[in-house]
Structure formats: C-alpha cells, structure tokens
C-alpha cells in the first residue's frame, strides 16, 4: 500500500545487502540490551502490567518480548520486513506477542485499542509523521502513552554520510550539520547506498505530538555517563552530538 | 545578589565595550520588529488584553511596550542592566510599563501574580534554569503562559566562535557543533571576549518546563520562508541550522 503522499515506503530491511550488514549489529542479536540508548528507552516505559501494547517497527521482536515478559497482557509487533519478522517468529515467539507484517502507513486499529504504543528507531522511515501520530493518539486510551526513539535531527541533518570533521589521525573533532531547515527525504549510505530516512526538525517532531492532542512528558537525548564510558570508552565522541531523540507523550 | 550556585551572574550589557557594539544592532533600535525571530515570537503570544505581564530581560523595553500597547493591563520589565533600562526609561516610557533593575535570579513575586511571563533571548544568561522555571510557574495563574526565546542548543554548542566550516571564498558550508552533551558555561566572543552564556541541551530546556508543572504548547525554530528570503537574501544560511529556540508553555 502506498502512503498518503503517494510514495511507496522503502523496505530496506528486506534488501539482502542491507540485511547482511544490519544483522551483524550488536543490537540485532541477544545483546540488544547493550545498545546505546537501551537504558534510556526502557526507563521511559510505564508499568506495562496488564497493558495492551503496540510496537511499531518491531523488527526482530526484542522490545515486544521484553514488554510481554514485563507483564503486558498483549503485544502486537508490526513491521514491514518479512526478513525481520521471520527472525522474530523463530527466535522470539511468545504467547502474548503477535507479529504482523505491515507498514506503519497501513496500520489501522479501532480507537482506544492500546494502553501503550512504542516505537524504537522506526519513525524516521515514515514520511507522514504528523498523520501517523494523529492515528496513534486515536488508538490510545485516555491516559495511554506513546514512547518512541528516533534518529535525532542533529544526526539526520549531518552534512555528509560520516558527519564528522576529523583531525589528521582521522579522529572525530566536530560534528557538522547542514540543511537543518530543509525537511524531507535524506538518502544515506548505511550498509548500502540510498537508505531513505526523513529528516524533520525538532519542532516538527514535538509540535506533531501537541497537534495530535498528546502531552509531552519527557524528551531524552541519551549521553554516556561515567559508568557507561568505563564500559565503552569508544562512546566518548557521543558526547559531541546527540544521535537519538527519545520522547514519552501521554494522551490526556 | 549571587545566584544559588554562588556565581555572580555576568552583566555584560553594562560593559561599555559590549554595549557600544550591541547598541548598533538593528534589533536594539526602532527596527526591532525586523529581527530574525520577531514574527515567530509575537505569533506565540496569547491575547494580552487586560493581562498582568512580566518581561524577564526586558532590555530596552521594546517587547514590554509592544505588549502594553496590545492591551495588557500592566507590564513589569525586569533587567539587570542599568544602561539598557536607562534607554528603556527615556525612549520607551509607557504608563502601563514599569521597569525594574534586577537579575532574574533575585526576582521574587507572589504566587499567581502574572497571566503571562515573556523572555526574549535572556534565559541563556541564567545558570539555574530549572530553578527559574519553577519560580516562573509559581508566579503564573492557572492557565497562565510562559513564552520565551533563547539561543538554540545547536547554536550555543558551536565548535568555534564562528561555528561555520567555510569554503575557499569564506562562505558558510556547514555548521559545526561540539560538546553538545557538556552543559554549562560557554564563553564566546561577541563584541568583546568572555561573554558568558549557559549551554543546555534541548532535553534539559524542555524537561525543565515539564518538571515545573508546565505543559509544552509550541516549540519553534524560526527559519526564513520564501517571502523573508526575498526581503533578506542574506538569511539563506539560516536554513543550515537553527539559531533560536522559541517555546510557549502553559500552567494547567
């Protein structure tokens, strides 16, 4: 199905070349809990005991199963990628998790269907963010929550694939951004050329929530603390610029 | 008076060298309405008819008088700078505007004293932002609004005084940021060396409002549209990165 803008969303996770690269990432496997923003994301989750939860862009199912194991009554994990869902269904089957192959643009649920909608690093693939957020708000019960992570506008608006100005030894000095005000499609090299993401300014991301009737409860730009840096000294450059933006919003 | 952190806030607007430079800016004089973010700021203001308003960092009084002329019952303009207030009192005296010389750190008002608190490009001089926002929330009536502009974290976290990577002709190519995650004092050259501002991440700015019990209504990163670019072609580089962050928040 085409999205409301008439462009068919890219399904890069079903591209063999991309998948071969992505599936080597630590966050893809059993160690997904060591991902950079993992702690910050789970800290935003409300108590899910007994909740009905929708995971938009569930990928290989780690977050969906985490939420089911934390006591959710039901988790629907939605993803457009056949390859990712094949992994989820084999490696992360769970009696209270249902995996559904669909893009976020075609997702359709009754009003008040969920207590919680989560989405981990998937919204930057969606062209019509404002429309999706309005639909999410409709799917939530009053008091329900949306918790998502997305690539930070500072990260997505980088001036090159690399983004860094580097010193003579190739070490990162400064981060570069460009065309921050020019929202829309950005094609970048990530395991393959032409991976499509949508840059939106911070104000667009936040005002979209407000316009959907949601209340912004928390905005997080995860940065490594001293403990994290002892464990992962290579994260020191992450202090130079945010890579992810995490938000929790509530339907009043 | 010292602020709660024990550091006396810099009062750079009373420095003759700084003032000599700043007072040449277009925004200082009668043309303050042509300032880059002006339209976006006034668009955030609620109807002020009959309102009691506090202007934190009122400078030469342009915004305070604008609000008084728009029908506010009373405007208190607060600024630490004797020089700025001298200009305000001579050039922008108004029967419903009272100018008070004080820093934001020492400002003290009864609960529910104001319907609206505004602050134009002054909060980046304040070290204890979270504390100030809590006090502002207390000064507001239920339903009252805070509207402020501040330097955008992307602008304040620039990697050099200039911030740009320039091409061979000296024209801006990309914007550079550094130490985004390292909040605190940044000393920069602006008409003089050592102008002190405080860098805070976007999440700190927004969560400070939430923690003070305010609801975020609008987040704006002004960018020039086609009409503005016809009038001011030199603003084209502003599309590369945001310079100001504007926020409207409401006390529920």
């Amino acid at each position: 199905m085409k999205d409301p803008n008439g462009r068919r969303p890219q399904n890069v996770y079903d591209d063999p070349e991309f998948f071969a690269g992505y599936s080597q990432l630590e966050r893809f496997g059993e160690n997904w809990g060591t991902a950079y923003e993992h702690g910050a994301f789970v800290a935003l989750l409300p108590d899910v005991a007994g909740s009905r939860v929708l995971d938009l862009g569930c990928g290989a199912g780690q977050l969906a199963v985490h939420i089911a194991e934390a006591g959710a009554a039901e988790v629907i994990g939605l993803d457009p990628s056949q390859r990712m869902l094949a992994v989820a269904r084999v490696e992360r089957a769970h009696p209270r998790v249902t995996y559904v192959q669909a893009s976020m643009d075609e997702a359709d649920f009754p009003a008040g269907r969920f207590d919680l909608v989560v989405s981990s690093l998937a919204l930057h693939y969606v062209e019509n963010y404002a429309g999706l957020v309005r639909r999410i708000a409709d799917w939530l019960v009053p008091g329900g929550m949306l918790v998502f992570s997305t690539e930070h506008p500072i990260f997505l608006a980088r001036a090159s694939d690399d983004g860094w100005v580097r010193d003579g030894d190739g070490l990162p000095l400064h981060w570069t951004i460009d065309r921050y005000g020019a929202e829309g499609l950005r094609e970048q090299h990530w395991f393959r050329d032409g991976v499509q993401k949508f840059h939106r300014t911070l104000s667009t991301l936040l005002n979209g929530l407000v316009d959907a009737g949601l209340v912004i409860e928390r905005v997080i730009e995860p940065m490594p603390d001293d403990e994290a840096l002892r464990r992962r000294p290579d994260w020191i450059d992450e202090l130079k610029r945010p890579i992810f933006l995490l938000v929790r919003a509530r339907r009043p």
Side-chain angles (χ1 to χ4, degrees), chain A residues 1 3 9 54-58 78-80 102-109 118-126 128 132 135-136 139:
Chain A
M1 181 188 148
D3 74 12
L54 172 64
D55 180 358
L56 290 171
C58 66
L78 190 131
D79 203 280
S103 80
M104 289 188 246
D105 295 307
E106 53 190 333
D108 187 20
F109 296 99
V118 296
S119 182
S120 173
L121 299 182
L123 294 187
H124 45 248
Y125 298 117
V126 173
N128 186 0
L132 176 61
R135 286 153 62 224
I136 290 172
W139 301 336

Side-chain angles (χ1 to χ4, degrees), chain A residues 1-247:
Chain A
M1 181 188 148
K2 289 202 290 185
D3 74 12
N5 299 288
R7 172 160 32 201
R8 197 177 176 76
Q10 187 182 53
N11 176 5
V12 76
Y13 288 80
D14 275 346
D15 175 88
E17 182 185 356
F18 178 87
F19 189 82
Y22 183 85
S23 59
Q24 299 304 311
L25 290 183
E26 196 169 25
R27 68 168 64 236
F28 181 77
E30 290 310 313
N31 290 324
W32 77 289
T34 63
Y36 179 68
E37 82 289 6
H38 175 81
F41 192 98
V42 298
L44 286 181
L45 294 175
D47 177 8
V48 297
S51 292
R52 299 163 301 154
V53 182
L54 172 64
D55 180 358
L56 290 171
C58 66
Q62 299 98 326
L63 177 61
V65 169
H66 170 86
I67 289 172
E69 288 176 345
E74 173 196 15
V75 184
I76 296 180
L78 190 131
D79 203 280
S81 165
Q82 202 173 320
R83 283 174 193 263
M84 294 294 270
L85 289 179
V87 175
R89 288 180 175 129
V90 169
E91 298 186 7
R92 291 189 193 84
H94 188 285
R96 293 194 302 279
V97 177
T98 308
Y99 295 110
V100 177
Q101 189 185 354
S103 80
M104 289 188 246
D105 295 307
E106 53 190 333
D108 187 20
F109 296 99
R113 173 71 178 79
F114 298 105
D115 303 296
L116 171 66
V117 175
V118 296
S119 182
S120 173
L121 299 182
L123 294 187
H124 45 248
Y125 298 117
V126 173
E127 184 162 8
N128 186 0
Y129 168 82
L132 176 61
V133 170
R134 274 203 197 87
R135 286 153 62 224
I136 290 172
D138 183 55
W139 301 336
L140 286 171
V141 294
M145 301 263 193
L146 166 63
V147 175
F148 71 84
S149 59
T150 188
E151 286 194 9
H152 199 291
I154 290 176
F155 187 69
L156 242 170
R158 60 195 183 273
S160 65
D161 271 344
D162 181 44
W164 294 111
V165 173
R166 294 176 181 276
D167 70 11
D169 297 323
L171 296 174
L173 273 176
H174 313 309
W175 185 252
T176 57
I177 70 166
D178 194 14
R179 298 194 299 138
Y180 181 88
E183 301 190 299
L185 187 64
R186 303 268 170 136
E187 296 209 341
Q188 291 164 342
H189 184 88
W190 191 34
F191 305 120
R192 53 158 266 189
D193 286 336
V195 175
Q196 297 185 342
K197 297 179 183 170
F198 291 90
H199 165 61
R200 282 175 276 268
T201 64
L202 189 83
S203 32
T204 292
L205 289 168
L206 297 173
N207 293 335
L209 300 169
V210 173
D211 290 341
L214 301 176
V215 175
I216 296 164
E217 289 204 333
R218 216 72 198 154
V219 177
I220 303 287
E221 298 159 296
M223 292 279 157
D225 58 16
D226 290 348
E227 192 277 323
L229 288 173
R230 268 192 298 276
R231 196 162 34 86
R232 291 289 302 267
D234 57 313
W235 282 353
I236 186 78
D237 294 324
E238 305 296 335
L239 290 168
K240 293 179 178 289
R241 53 98 183 95
I243 182 166
F244 301 126
L245 181 76
L246 280 56
V247 177

